[in-house]
Amino acid sequence: MPISQKEAKERALENWPMWRLLLSDMNISYSDLNHMDQDDILEANAALDIHIEQQKAKTKK
């Protein structure tokens, strides 16, 4: 039996750091994420945040 839409959303929110990387333009695959531990995923998200801020700063110039 498939999960409900509510449960799917809850799971997506719970796993958002992983899904954020997968949906970003960082070219990280689902397989790559499966090989990363939680610290790696958090570090990659921090790197993505830094990259986004750098891009914003670049466009303001």
Side-chain angles (χ1 to χ4, degrees), residues 6-50:
K6 180 182 177 194
E7 185 179 355
K9 186 172 183 175
E10 289 170 356
R11 287 172 55 174
L13 287 170
E14 183 179 310
N15 293 308
W16 180 243
M18 182 182 75
W19 287 112
R20 181 177 185 245
L21 295 174
L22 188 65
L23 297 170
S24 74
D25 61 355
M26 293 178 65
N27 295 324
I28 292 179
S29 70
Y30 191 85
S31 178
D32 294 334
L33 289 170
N34 278 332
H35 288 84
M36 296 169 76
D37 64 20
Q38 195 65 22
D39 289 341
D40 292 334
I41 290 172
L42 293 173
E43 182 179 346
N45 271 282
L48 179 56
D49 291 337
I50 292 167

